[in-house]
């Protein structure tokens, strides 16, 4: 199965800023790699498999692209990935047909029945702690060259610190353009996160925004696309995304 992936990055390195007087000394401006925007697209793998990729920020604030990996769904990196893959397989198809996940063989044959796919879009820090994440889980039924019914849900997770501090969800939304009798059902999920805690007590320094896009087709195939934007980044941060 071809695993061609399109991935682009825009990394803006911000010049070190002088420390501000009176309370801003906690802001690590002299070590920031600046703003970051990454985009990626992955094919949906066969049932029981996961496709994933990691992009890390190097010592000189450059984006390093890992290889696209196809692994068994249970071995996908990250507890959230495994959780989403397991959750999407627990529901039985409404028609009674055996559920499938992702793309069929490349014969071009139409696939009638119920299908499921999940995706994850996560940012980790240099200590391998997941800071923020956006997740989708989709189920759609196909028949007669149409998407008879489709549903995609989105959830968010974020790391908290003691004393009611850490990352928090600022806003989130999910929009689906068609949920019944569709040629394609497309969903956009968005999540904005902010941070106030030990690394910045002001709450004005960090912000992560995640975007995930899932297209569900009438032939039983699907596609996953991702974007992430971070207001400030540091060497060792990494972005992990995948679908199963």
């Amino acid at each position: 199965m071809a695993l061609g992936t399109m991935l682009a990055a825009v990394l803006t390195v911000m010049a070190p800023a002088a420390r501000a007087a009176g309370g801003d000394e906690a802001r690590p401006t002299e070590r920031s790699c600046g703003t970051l925007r990454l985009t990626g697209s992955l094919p949906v793998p066969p049932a029981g498999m996961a496709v994933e990729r990691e992009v890390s920020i190097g010592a000189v604030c450059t984006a390093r692209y890992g290889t696209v990996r196809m692994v068994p769904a249970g071995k996908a990196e990250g507890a959230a990935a495994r959780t989403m893959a397991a959750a999407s397989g627990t529901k039985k198809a409404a028609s009674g047909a055996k559920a499938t996940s992702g793309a069929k063989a490349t014969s071009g044959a139409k696939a009638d029945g119920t299908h499921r796919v999940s995706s994850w879009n996560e940012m980790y820090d240099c200590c391998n702690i997941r800071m923020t994440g956006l997740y989708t889980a989709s189920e759609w039924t196909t028949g007669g060259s149409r998407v008879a019914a489709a549903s995609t849900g989105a959830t968010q997770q974020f790391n908290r610190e003691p004393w009611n501090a850490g990352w928090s969800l600022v806003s989130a939304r999910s929009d689906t353009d068609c949920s019944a009798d569709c040629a394609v059902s497309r969903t956009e999920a968005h999540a904005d996160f902010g941070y106030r805690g030990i690394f910045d007590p002001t709450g004005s320094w960090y912000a992560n925004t995640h975007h995930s896009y899932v297209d569900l087709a009438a032939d039983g195939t699907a596609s996953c696309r991702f974007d992430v934007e971070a207001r400030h980044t540091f060497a060792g941060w990494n972005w992990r995304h995948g679908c199963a």
Side-chain angles (χ1 to χ4, degrees):
M1 180 179 178
L3 291 181
T5 299
M6 298 178 291
L7 195 64
V10 177
L11 181 64
T12 304
V13 179
M14 300 178 64
R19 289 183 182 270
D24 282 347
E25 293 184 357
R27 294 186 181 182
T29 49
E30 70 277 15
R31 296 183 288 111
S32 173
C33 286
T35 58
L36 170 74
R37 183 175 185 271
L38 294 166
T39 65
S41 176
L42 291 173
V44 174
M49 302 296 289
V51 172
E52 59 187 6
R53 189 168 193 174
E54 180 175 337
V55 182
S56 61
I57 307 304
V60 292
C61 295
T62 56
R64 297 175 177 176
Y65 305 104
T67 59
V68 178
R69 301 172 60 240
M70 180 182 286
V71 298
K75 295 184 179 299
E77 290 187 2
R82 292 191 293 271
T83 299
M84 292 298 295
S88 66
T90 57
K91 296 180 180 179
K92 293 183 179 179
S95 64
K98 183 178 180 181
T100 60
S101 175
K104 291 290 184 179
T106 56
S107 63
K110 294 293 186 291
D112 291 348
T114 299
H115 319 273
R116 297 184 182 91
V117 65
S118 59
S119 76
W120 53 97
N121 181 349
E122 304 173 312
M123 282 296 294
Y124 284 75
D125 69 11
C126 58
C127 297
N128 203 36
I129 296 173
R130 185 197 59 196
M131 297 177 287
T132 54
L134 173 62
Y135 311 90
T136 67
S138 304
E139 180 174 294
W140 75 109
T141 302
T142 57
S145 299
R146 303 286 291 177
V147 175
S151 175
T152 296
T155 57
Q156 309 80 31
Q157 295 183 23
F158 43 92
N159 184 59
R160 296 295 291 168
E161 298 169 358
W163 309 292
N164 195 30
W167 288 93
S168 60
L169 181 65
V170 177
S171 65
R173 75 178 195 272
S174 179
D175 303 304
T176 300
D177 66 349
C178 182
S179 58
D181 192 22
C182 320
V184 180
S185 176
R186 297 182 175 90
T187 296
E188 298 184 3
H190 311 276
D192 296 296
F193 301 91
Y195 175 88
R196 182 192 296 269
I198 188 172
F199 298 104
D200 175 33
T202 71
S204 62
W205 188 251
Y206 298 101
N208 289 349
T209 300
H210 296 253
H211 312 277
S212 295
Y213 309 87
V214 180
D215 295 350
L216 312 174
D219 63 357
T221 62
S223 66
C224 300
R225 293 173 288 120
F226 311 91
D227 291 90
V228 68
E229 303 165 23
R231 183 186 297 163
H232 291 98
T233 58
F234 292 85
W237 284 27
N238 57 89
W239 178 44
R240 303 177 190 176
H241 57 285
C243 51

